[in-house]
Amino acid sequence: MSVESLFPRLEALLPKVQKPIQYVGGELNSTVKDWDEATVRWALMYPDAYEVGLPNQGVQILYEILNELPETLAERTYAVWPDLEALMRSEGVPQFTVDAHRPVRAFDVLGVSFSTELGYTNLLTALDLAGIPLDAVDRTDDDPIVLAGGHAAFNPEPIADFLDAAVLGDGEQIAIAISEVIREWKGEGAPGGRDELLMRLASTGGVYVPKFYDVEYHPDGRIKRVVPNRSGVPSRVFKHTVMDLDEWPYPKKPLVPLAETVHERFSVEIFRGCTRGCRFCQAGMITRPVRERSITTIGDMVEAGLKESGFSEVGLLSLSSADHSEIGEVAKGLADRYEGTQTGLSLPSTRVDAFNIDLANEFSRNGRRSGLTFAPEGGSERMRKVINKMVTEEDLIRTVTTAYSQGWRQVKLYFMCGLPTEEDIDVLGIADLAKKVIKAGREATGSRDVRCTVSIGGFVPKPHTPFQWASQCDHETVDRRLRELRDALRGDKEYGRAIGYRYHDGKPSIVEGLLSRGDRRVGSVIRAVWEDGGRFDGWSEHFSYDRWMAAAERGFSGEPVDVDWYTTREREEHEVLPWDHLDAGLDREWLWQDWQDAVNDVEVEDCRWTPCYDCGVCPTMGTEIQIGPTGRKLLPLTVV
Amino acid sequence: MVQRLRVRYAKRGRLRFTSHRDISRAVERAVRRSGIPVAYSAGFSPHPKISYAGAAPTGVASEAEYLEIGLSSACDLERVRADLDASLPPGLDVLEVVEARSGSLADRLEASVWRLRLPGADVAAAEQAVKEFEAADRVEVERLTKKGMRRFDAREAVRSVAVVNEQERTAGQEPGPPCVILRMVVRHETPAVRPDDVLMGLRLVAGFAPPSPPEVTRLAQGPLDATTGEPGDPFDVERADGDL
């Protein structure tokens, strides 16, 4: 049965909305496959505005891999802005894909990639606009399987009611495997309806189906246990890890949007995983072990990607890009190759201690020396030991001094506020550090024309990290410390004017904390916020703390829990956490030990360069560290 | 810069929703993809030498948009046209490339021909409104601009406006719902009078209000011929000595 394009109906609405181009599709390298020739049809959603969602690597990779499969098609859908949402509701136009403008409800799978929990309300808007029942238990065989992935899916419990399934970890292989299960099931005539399909997926142990698990609670609100409620469902669900990134060189054909987006560049992931062991960093914990892409594959991907896209900037992505074993050779090889072609290179996520000036010089050879960003994260030496960000003040001063003396005029420093065990003096230490940075810069350059910007985010304890047991700092304390820091910076006559200060208030972090470490009872709060008009919670102009608190009041009524219970309450060692049945490979005892080490200022080394300290991931998941050096070089290309 | 080219391109179908900024990004990328040897400006932050003349508003389709591009080495015109066209998304279509002669291209673009399709509008009411609009000396309209609400005359810039009789039906199909097609020639003036300003004018003079937003296409733009009252081809200068 073919599906009609919604475009003619949508088109009539577009003259009335802001930035209509984001809804029309037709991007370079986008794909529209024949509906009837496909058996398995995926709608892939990034639950934020197009300008944020389009550049997302995860969605682009899966889109390309799924469309390469025979009998499978994948299209994309994004959150629509409230102006179009209102028109779609009044004109009865359902949630659509931007590729062929097909109704999302007609697909077999709606795969949603959650980089952050703040996209949850946008999921509800999309489901509602699509005509898909919000509650998974109300869906019929005519509804798609609603499947979550991305980092937030490592604790999908707050949205468990709205999901049919979730997958943890790298998506490449599991997306193909799920397609195969659906293809077979449909080939057999879809026996047993969606429940049998979900059962087939759940029984593999690699797909989490929340409704096949019951959560039991203690009278005081803590979780007693989470258990499968039918036979054949495994008690734990494991994460997926792609080994050998050279075999998965995606995206090959990057999507090139017409609309302006947040990242206007071709991005190549140069490695996955990070074992630096920063205790606040969920990404570093759940993506272990480190798997490098080889220098030759990186070179090939950059060449093909630029040719396919016409982008003038290349971003070399990872969690800590300067840690690639051959980053120097990669940087030099690419700078040589693209010399004189107006192609810029960028290296987001650079550690202070991995930075070196040769590298920075290569990256700025074809561009400008506008700014460098480093993330010491903690303002005091003690704080950095607690979070295991092993960067000394000396390291930092040496690095920025070199940068200033090599011609950079602006350095950005990123910190967090509200870290476990933090005291006022730790945050005020940021001011001292910033002043020392400017002082060293002035001495090194003999000029007063050096600047530094201090940027601060609120810390949110995350699942599957040593801080999963920690008390989140209340927003009043965070705000007070940030104000005192501001006064300390601004009040300084000698250095104050050379230091910029950027911070946000602490309230959004509390909501993020509620959603990060929440359990299934938080679902009713999310629903209440959405019903009250909550949308685009990652955007400060749309986010409303008061709306969330009012919804929590309603959602938690009759329960022995409240927002503080989920956020500022410290957990006991043996309390069952909502995500304990979801296996990222990390040994729980090791996590607890690392939490104790944090409190005692004990640091842990990186297992890439020191012996294994038994975090548990490699033996549990059957994975291994994959790093170079390969000793190869990038060959120069002949210029056409 | 060795060679300066002038390009006519169309924005069609759903690509009419591109803004001027969207188009300029798309063209820069297409130039890079196609390997056309575009010249860059000198200085700290070099930019490709591509400039645009009078872009049609977001949401308006066009058969006659113009840009200029500077090359660092001379190229075959037809090859540039084909390569650039192939590198742009379908809907941004490169129609013609000529080598620039003296004189500013923007100065030659004195007037545009616009076609407005008004689904569901009444033909008789449209004809009556056009008659009253043409009879008026001034028709003051208002439009929200970046600087707030502006009031200006929409009549003087309109060289001609007419309801045209177009057969939209194709053989074997049921006749569609009623539909009015307006064709107008409007001079480029400051403040710019846009097709929707004229439509607002028709509403003010005669209460003519189509039930849904107009579908607007720029059919042509060029130097205004005083005798015919129609814009000519802005590339006539480049074509003066025959084939270039």
Side-chain angles (χ1 to χ4, degrees):
Chain A
M1 177 189 67
S2 210
V3 167
E4 245 179 79
S5 169
L6 295 167
F7 194 73
R9 290 165 65 201
L10 175 67
E11 194 172 21
L13 312 181
L14 293 182
K16 302 173 191 170
V17 304
Q18 293 289 308
K19 298 185 194 165
I21 187 65
Q22 65 186 307
Y23 305 115
V24 308
E27 302 93 339
L28 271 176
N29 298 327
S30 60
T31 306
V32 173
K33 291 176 86 170
D34 188 275
W35 184 263
D36 296 317
E37 280 172 21
T39 312
V40 184
R41 306 175 184 109
W42 290 71
L44 299 174
M45 176 174 198
Y46 190 88
D48 203 333
Y50 179 88
E51 63 198 79
V52 177
L54 182 116
N56 180 265
Q57 288 283 295
V59 172
Q60 287 205 24
I61 289 169
L62 295 181
Y63 176 73
E64 199 170 345
I65 285 177
L66 291 168
N67 274 321
E68 280 180 2
L69 297 178
E71 288 192 52
T72 300
L73 71 76
E75 302 193 9
R76 295 159 297 129
T77 184
Y78 304 94
V80 300
W81 284 110
D83 61 348
L84 182 58
E85 184 194 337
L87 289 168
M88 287 164 70
R89 288 188 187 283
S90 66
E91 300 301 317
V93 176
Q95 181 80 21
F96 55 87
T97 59
V98 297
D99 297 287
H101 296 92
R102 286 160 174 152
V104 163
R105 188 163 182 252
F107 288 76
D108 298 303
V109 186
L110 170 59
V112 191
S113 177
F114 289 102
S115 307
T116 147
E117 297 82 3
L118 297 174
Y120 291 163
T121 48
N122 285 353
L123 167 70
L124 298 191
T125 309
L127 291 175
D128 189 53
L129 282 174
I132 299 168
L134 297 190
D135 283 296
V137 292
D138 294 338
R139 290 175 197 150
T140 69
D141 290 351
D142 294 331
D143 294 302
I145 299 296
V146 180
L147 172 72
H151 286 184
F154 278 79
N155 176 25
E157 292 300 89
I159 49 169
D161 290 349
F162 317 126
L163 298 179
D164 294 294
V167 287
L168 281 58
D170 298 332
E172 288 92 337
Q173 288 161 314
I174 184 64
I176 294 172
I178 290 172
S179 294
E180 189 51 29
V181 171
I182 296 174
R183 197 183 63 80
E184 265 179 29
W185 170 77
K186 282 183 123 180
E188 294 166 24
R194 65 193 287 118
D195 262 18
E196 163 139 4
L197 173 59
L198 289 170
M199 193 58 210
R200 288 187 187 190
L201 292 170
S203 62
T204 63
V207 177
Y208 175 52
V209 178
K211 74 171 179 184
F212 293 163
Y213 297 78
D214 287 337
V215 183
E216 296 166 18
Y217 301 95
H218 291 294
D220 65 3
R222 286 175 305 131
I223 293 173
K224 193 172 173 191
R225 52 183 198 150
V226 180
V227 281
N229 56 24
R230 58 175 75 192
S231 65
V233 176
S235 57
R236 293 173 75 76
V237 180
F238 60 85
K239 78 159 178 178
H240 301 270
T241 313
V242 166
M243 299 305 294
D244 196 353
L245 291 195
D246 283 357
E247 296 214 344
W248 299 91
Y250 297 90
K252 295 173 181 167
K253 295 183 167 187
L255 290 165
V256 186
L258 284 153
E260 190 166 12
T261 61
V262 291
H263 296 305
E264 300 275 326
R265 63 184 176 209
F266 175 58
S267 297
V268 176
E269 235 183 324
I270 61 174
F271 63 90
R272 243 176 236 184
C274 178
T275 38
R276 287 286 193 164
C278 301
R279 293 180 174 122
F280 56 83
C281 179
Q282 187 192 40
M285 293 291 161
I286 62 177
T287 63
R288 296 168 172 226
V290 172
R291 291 144 288 149
E292 285 188 357
R293 193 162 258 153
S294 72
I295 179 171
T296 38
T297 303
I298 294 168
D300 293 348
M301 286 180 70
V302 170
E303 184 198 352
L306 287 179
K307 204 172 276 177
E308 287 288 343
S309 67
F311 283 128
S312 57
E313 190 186 330
V314 177
L316 302 180
L317 305 189
S318 73
L319 293 171
S320 176
S321 292
D323 283 343
H324 190 282
S325 64
E326 290 177 296
I327 190 64
E329 200 54 53
V330 169
K332 185 179 177 304
L334 292 177
D336 282 350
R337 187 193 276 180
Y338 297 106
E339 178 113 49
T341 63
Q342 316 297 335
T343 304
L345 297 175
S346 69
L347 193 69
S349 315
T350 320
R351 282 180 67 97
V352 173
D353 45 359
F355 174 87
N356 70 65
I357 212 65
D358 295 338
L359 190 57
N361 282 335
E362 294 298 359
F363 273 92
S364 60
R365 205 198 306 171
N366 294 334
R368 25 168 128 183
R369 303 191 170 194
S370 47
L372 286 172
T373 303
F374 298 108
E377 315 281 5
S380 68
E381 210 83 17
R382 185 193 70 82
M383 203 70 257
R384 290 193 291 275
K385 281 188 177 156
V386 169
I387 62 178
N388 203 44
K389 186 91 189 189
M390 294 201 289
V391 172
T392 63
E393 186 174 307
E394 241 187 303
D395 285 337
L396 179 69
I397 299 293
R398 185 176 345 110
T399 299
V400 297
T401 304
T402 320
Y404 284 131
S405 59
Q406 292 286 318
W408 275 272
R409 287 288 166 266
Q410 166 88 20
V411 169
K412 268 187 233 164
L413 299 176
Y414 184 82
F415 297 91
M416 282 189 291
C417 182
L419 288 161
T421 78
E422 180 184 278
E423 292 176 25
D424 293 7
I425 192 169
D426 296 306
V427 177
L428 288 171
I430 295 170
D432 296 332
L433 202 53
K435 289 177 207 169
K436 284 179 189 163
V437 161
I438 294 295
K439 183 166 180 281
R442 286 178 183 171
E443 280 166 11
T445 60
S447 154
R448 290 179 69 83
D449 179 29
V450 292
R451 280 189 58 78
C452 131
T453 300
V454 170
S455 186
I456 307 205
F459 166 68
V460 178
K462 295 279 181 172
H464 305 283
T465 71
F467 291 160
Q468 64 182 354
W469 288 279
S471 155
Q472 183 173 355
C473 191
D474 61 88
H475 70 85
E476 290 89 349
T477 304
V478 168
D479 287 343
R480 183 179 51 74
R481 286 179 182 155
L482 291 178
R483 273 196 310 274
E484 285 170 17
L485 173 60
R486 181 195 61 196
D487 295 344
L489 287 169
R490 294 226 177 116
D492 192 280
K493 286 208 169 62
E494 178 60 25
Y495 301 110
R497 298 184 67 176
I499 301 169
Y501 183 46
R502 286 187 189 173
Y503 67 102
H504 298 287
D505 73 285
K507 285 176 176 174
S509 299
I510 292 295
V511 171
E512 219 185 309
L514 170 70
L515 298 175
S516 291
R517 291 193 293 173
D519 54 36
R520 294 188 181 183
R521 290 169 293 189
V522 174
S524 60
V525 178
I526 298 168
R527 187 192 307 243
V529 164
W530 177 77
E531 283 168 351
D532 191 32
R535 307 283 189 275
F536 290 94
D537 284 301
W539 297 69
S540 55
E541 62 267 48
H542 290 277
F543 175 82
S544 163
Y545 180 76
D546 294 342
R547 175 186 278 148
W548 275 97
M549 292 307 114
E553 195 96 342
R554 293 198 297 280
F556 292 142
S557 69
E559 299 278 357
V561 298
D562 58 15
V563 174
D564 288 346
W565 191 87
Y566 285 101
T567 55
T568 56
R569 181 179 65 95
E570 184 170 340
R571 279 69 159 170
E572 298 288 325
E573 178 178 4
H574 296 294
E575 176 173 340
V576 176
L577 301 173
W579 51 89
D580 275 346
H581 57 300
L582 303 175
D583 196 347
L586 295 153
D587 181 47
R588 201 177 197 272
E589 281 172 31
W590 176 79
L591 280 177
W592 178 261
Q593 186 54 49
D594 205 39
W595 169 222
Q596 299 311 301
D597 286 349
V599 179
N600 296 314
D601 309 348
V602 176
E603 295 167 297
V604 177
E605 296 280 344
D606 189 319
C607 64
R608 262 173 295 187
W609 308 304
T610 60
C612 171
Y613 47 74
D614 294 326
C615 76
V617 172
C618 289
T620 313
M621 295 293 148
T623 54
E624 59 179 6
I625 300 170
Q626 292 179 331
I627 54 174
T630 63
R632 301 225 194 110
K633 306 237 178 287
L634 280 183
L635 297 176
L637 300 174
T638 42
V639 179
V640 184
Chain B
M1 185 166 70
V2 168
Q3 193 180 32
R4 197 155 52 101
L5 304 183
R6 289 175 172 167
V7 177
R8 177 164 76 100
Y9 66 98
K11 68 169 174 161
R12 292 171 170 154
R14 57 188 67 172
L15 272 283
R16 74 179 184 277
F17 293 109
T18 46
S19 71
H20 171 54
R21 284 159 57 84
D22 299 334
I23 288 177
S24 94
R25 271 194 311 276
V27 169
E28 278 186 32
R29 285 174 190 157
V31 164
R32 291 180 70 93
R33 277 158 48 86
S34 63
I36 294 169
V38 64
Y40 280 82
S41 63
F44 197 54
S45 158
H47 282 285
K49 291 202 167 178
I50 305 171
S51 59
Y52 301 82
T58 306
V60 169
S62 177
E63 291 297 313
E65 298 296 288
Y66 292 90
L67 63 85
E68 285 192 342
I69 176 166
L71 301 187
S72 58
S73 60
C75 288
D76 176 71
L77 299 181
E78 174 49 28
R79 182 139 180 234
V80 169
R81 194 208 61 75
D83 286 352
L84 194 55
D85 187 50
S87 298
L88 281 165
L92 288 181
D93 300 326
V94 181
L95 304 177
E96 206 176 352
V97 176
V98 298
E99 187 159 0
R101 293 276 175 97
S102 62
S104 144
L105 178 61
D107 286 351
R108 292 183 207 157
L109 304 179
E110 294 174 339
S112 287
V113 184
W114 303 97
R115 175 181 184 275
L116 281 69
R117 189 170 173 274
L118 307 171
D122 179 67
V123 176
E127 282 172 344
Q128 180 61 31
V130 164
K131 203 178 284 176
E132 290 183 32
F133 183 86
E134 289 204 300
D137 289 331
R138 282 180 71 78
V139 180
E140 295 258 320
V141 299
E142 283 186 332
R143 186 190 340 134
L144 194 60
T145 69
K146 279 177 200 148
K147 292 173 195 156
M149 196 59 89
R150 273 195 85 158
R151 211 175 152 75
F152 56 95
D153 174 36
R155 173 64 191 91
E156 199 271 329
V158 178
R159 188 68 176 73
S160 61
V161 51
V163 178
V164 294
N165 200 1
E166 261 183 48
Q167 275 299 357
E168 282 219 324
R169 240 184 298 167
T170 44
Q173 278 188 334
E174 292 292 306
C179 177
V180 167
I181 310 279
L182 288 177
R183 183 184 187 278
M184 55 183 79
V185 177
V186 184
R187 279 196 296 271
H188 301 166
E189 290 182 353
T190 314
V193 174
R194 305 202 303 208
D196 45 334
D197 298 323
V198 179
L199 211 52
M200 172 63 75
L202 295 178
R203 175 185 223 147
L204 290 174
V205 295
F208 175 67
S212 53
E215 292 161 27
V216 184
T217 307
R218 168 143 63 194
L219 298 176
Q221 53 176 333
L224 194 59
D225 185 315
T227 51
T228 62
E230 293 283 323
D233 186 336
F235 287 165
D236 276 348
V237 178
E238 278 76 13
R239 274 192 273 266
D241 288 336
D243 50 330
L244 246 169

